[in-house]
Coordinates of all heavy atoms in Angstrom, one line a residue:
E239 N -1.4 11.9 15.1 CA -2.2 12.7 16.0 C -2.7 11.9 17.2 O -2.6 12.4 18.3 CB -3.4 13.3 15.3 CG -3.1 14.4 14.3 CD -4.3 14.8 13.4 OE1 -5.4 14.3 13.7 OE2 -4.1 15.6 12.5
T240 N -3.1 10.7 17.0 CA -3.6 9.9 18.1 C -2.5 9.4 18.9 O -2.6 9.2 20.2 CB -4.5 8.8 17.6 OG1 -3.7 7.9 16.8 CG2 -5.7 9.3 16.8
G241 N -1.4 9.0 18.3 CA -0.2 8.5 19.0 C -0.3 7.1 19.6 O 0.4 6.7 20.4
R242 N -1.4 6.3 19.1 CA -1.6 5.0 19.8 C -1.3 3.9 18.8 O -1.1 2.7 19.3 CB -3.1 5.0 20.2 CG -3.4 5.9 21.3 CD -4.8 5.6 21.9 NE -5.8 5.7 20.8 CZ -6.5 6.8 20.5 NH1 -6.3 7.9 21.2 NH2 -7.4 6.7 19.6
T243 N -1.4 4.1 17.5 CA -1.3 3.0 16.5 C 0.1 2.8 16.0 O 0.8 3.7 15.7 CB -2.3 3.3 15.4 OG1 -3.6 3.6 15.8 CG2 -2.3 2.2 14.4
R244 N 0.4 1.5 16.0 CA 1.7 1.1 15.3 C 1.4 1.0 13.8 O 0.5 0.3 13.4 CB 2.2 -0.2 15.9 CG 2.3 -0.3 17.4 CD 2.4 -1.7 17.9 NE 2.3 -1.9 19.3 CZ 1.2 -2.0 20.0 NH1 0.0 -1.9 19.5 NH2 1.3 -2.2 21.3
L245 N 2.3 1.6 13.0 CA 2.1 1.6 11.6 C 3.4 1.0 10.9 O 4.5 1.4 11.2 CB 1.9 3.0 11.0 CG 1.8 3.1 9.5 CD1 0.7 2.4 8.9 CD2 1.8 4.6 9.1
I246 N 3.2 -0.1 10.1 CA 4.3 -0.7 9.4 C 3.9 -0.7 7.9 O 2.8 -1.1 7.5 CB 4.5 -2.2 9.8 CG1 4.7 -2.3 11.4 CG2 5.7 -2.8 9.1 CD1 4.8 -3.7 11.9
I247 N 4.8 -0.2 7.1 CA 4.6 -0.1 5.7 C 5.8 -0.8 5.0 O 6.9 -0.7 5.4 CB 4.5 1.3 5.2 CG1 3.3 2.0 5.9 CG2 4.4 1.4 3.7 CD1 3.1 3.5 5.5
S248 N 5.5 -1.6 3.9 CA 6.5 -2.2 3.1 C 6.4 -1.8 1.7 O 5.4 -1.4 1.2 CB 6.4 -3.7 3.2 OG 5.4 -4.2 2.3
G249 N 7.6 -1.8 1.0 CA 7.7 -1.4 -0.4 C 8.8 -2.2 -1.1 O 9.5 -3.0 -0.4
N250 N 9.0 -1.9 -2.3 CA 10.0 -2.6 -3.1 C 11.3 -1.7 -3.2 O 12.2 -2.1 -3.9 CB 9.5 -3.0 -4.5 CG 9.2 -1.8 -5.4 OD1 9.2 -0.7 -4.9 ND2 8.9 -2.1 -6.6
C251 N 11.3 -0.6 -2.6 CA 12.4 0.3 -2.6 C 12.3 1.3 -1.5 O 11.2 1.4 -0.8 CB 12.5 1.1 -4.0 SG 11.1 2.1 -4.3
P252 N 13.3 2.1 -1.2 CA 13.2 3.1 -0.1 C 12.1 4.1 -0.4 O 11.8 4.3 -1.6 CB 14.6 3.8 -0.1 CG 15.5 2.7 -0.7 CD 14.7 2.0 -1.7
P253 N 11.6 4.8 0.6 CA 10.5 5.7 0.4 C 10.8 6.8 -0.7 O 9.9 7.1 -1.5 CB 10.3 6.3 1.8 CG 10.7 5.3 2.7 CD 11.9 4.6 2.0
R254 N 12.0 7.3 -0.7 CA 12.3 8.4 -1.6 C 12.4 8.0 -3.0 O 12.4 8.8 -3.9 CB 13.6 9.1 -1.1 CG 13.5 9.9 0.1 CD 12.7 11.2 -0.1 NE 12.6 12.0 1.1 CZ 12.0 13.2 1.2 NH1 11.3 13.6 0.1 NH2 12.0 13.9 2.3
Q255 N 12.5 6.7 -3.3 CA 12.6 6.2 -4.6 C 11.3 5.7 -5.2 O 11.2 5.1 -6.3 CB 13.6 5.1 -4.7 CG 15.0 5.5 -4.3 CD 16.1 4.4 -4.3 OE1 15.8 3.3 -4.9 NE2 17.2 4.6 -3.6
L256 N 10.2 5.8 -4.4 CA 8.9 5.3 -4.9 C 8.3 6.2 -6.0 O 7.4 5.7 -6.7 CB 7.9 5.3 -3.7 CG 8.1 4.2 -2.7 CD1 7.2 4.5 -1.4 CD2 7.7 2.9 -3.3
N257 N 8.7 7.4 -6.2 CA 8.2 8.3 -7.2 C 6.7 8.6 -7.0 O 5.9 8.6 -8.0 CB 8.4 7.8 -8.6 CG 9.9 7.7 -8.9 OD1 10.7 8.7 -8.6 ND2 10.3 6.6 -9.5
L258 N 6.3 8.8 -5.7 CA 4.9 9.1 -5.4 C 4.5 10.5 -6.0 O 5.4 11.4 -6.1 CB 4.7 9.1 -3.9 CG 4.8 7.7 -3.2 CD1 5.1 7.9 -1.8 CD2 3.5 6.9 -3.5
N259 N 3.3 10.6 -6.4 CA 2.8 11.9 -6.9 C 2.6 12.9 -5.8 O 2.7 14.1 -6.1 CB 1.5 11.7 -7.7 CG 1.8 11.1 -9.1 OD1 2.9 10.9 -9.5 ND2 0.7 10.8 -9.8
L260 N 2.4 12.4 -4.6 CA 2.1 13.3 -3.5 C 3.4 13.5 -2.7 O 3.8 12.7 -1.9 CB 1.0 12.7 -2.6 CG 0.4 13.5 -1.5 CD1 -0.3 14.8 -2.1 CD2 -0.6 12.7 -0.7
P261 N 4.1 14.7 -2.9 CA 5.3 14.9 -2.2 C 5.3 14.8 -0.7 O 6.2 14.3 0.0 CB 5.7 16.3 -2.6 CG 4.9 16.6 -3.9 CD 3.7 15.8 -3.7
D262 N 4.1 15.3 -0.1 CA 4.0 15.2 1.4 C 4.0 13.8 1.9 O 4.5 13.5 3.0 CB 2.7 16.0 1.8 CG 2.9 17.5 1.7 OD1 4.1 17.9 1.6 OD2 1.9 18.2 1.7
L263 N 3.4 12.9 1.1 CA 3.4 11.5 1.5 C 4.8 10.9 1.4 O 5.2 10.2 2.4 CB 2.4 10.6 0.6 CG 2.4 9.1 0.9 CD1 2.1 8.8 2.3 CD2 1.5 8.4 -0.1
A264 N 5.5 11.2 0.4 CA 6.9 10.8 0.3 C 7.7 11.2 1.5 O 8.5 10.4 2.0 CB 7.5 11.3 -1.0
S265 N 7.6 12.5 1.9 CA 8.4 13.0 3.0 C 7.9 12.3 4.3 O 8.8 12.0 5.2 CB 8.2 14.5 3.1 OG 6.9 14.9 3.4
R266 N 6.6 12.0 4.5 CA 6.1 11.4 5.7 C 6.7 10.0 5.8 O 7.2 9.5 6.9 CB 4.6 11.3 5.7 CG 3.9 12.6 5.8 CD 4.0 13.3 7.1 NE 3.0 14.3 7.2 CZ 3.1 15.5 6.7 NH1 4.2 15.8 6.0 NH2 2.2 16.4 6.9
L267 N 6.7 9.2 4.7 CA 7.2 7.9 4.7 C 8.7 7.8 5.0 O 9.2 6.7 5.4 CB 6.9 7.2 3.4 CG 5.4 7.0 3.0 CD1 5.3 6.2 1.7 CD2 4.7 6.3 4.1
D268 N 9.4 8.9 4.8 CA 10.9 8.9 5.0 C 11.2 9.2 6.4 O 12.4 9.2 6.8 CB 11.5 10.0 4.0 CG 12.9 9.6 3.7 OD1 13.3 8.4 3.6 OD2 13.7 10.6 3.6
W269 N 10.2 9.5 7.3 CA 10.5 9.8 8.7 C 10.4 8.4 9.4 O 9.7 7.5 9.1 CB 9.4 10.7 9.3 CG 9.3 12.1 8.7 CD1 10.3 12.6 7.9 CD2 8.3 13.0 8.9 NE1 9.9 13.9 7.6 CE2 8.7 14.2 8.1 CE3 7.1 13.0 9.6 CZ2 7.9 15.3 8.1 CZ3 6.3 14.2 9.6 CH2 6.7 15.3 8.8

């Protein structure tokens, strides 16, 4: 929404393979 912050996230696998309980978070991380 703000469009000002750079966001970097790291994991041990691609976003879709994280098996997150929150489907909306999984889809956001895949963008």
Side-chain angles (χ1 to χ4, degrees):
E239 288 171 6
T240 61
R242 295 189 302 270
T243 304
R244 307 163 185 87
L245 174 63
I246 305 174
I247 299 179
S248 82
N250 66 350
C251 62
R254 288 291 184 179
Q255 296 177 21
L256 285 169
N257 295 317
L258 292 160
N259 285 356
L260 190 60
D262 286 344
L263 176 58
S265 65
R266 295 292 193 280
L267 296 183
D268 206 36
W269 296 349

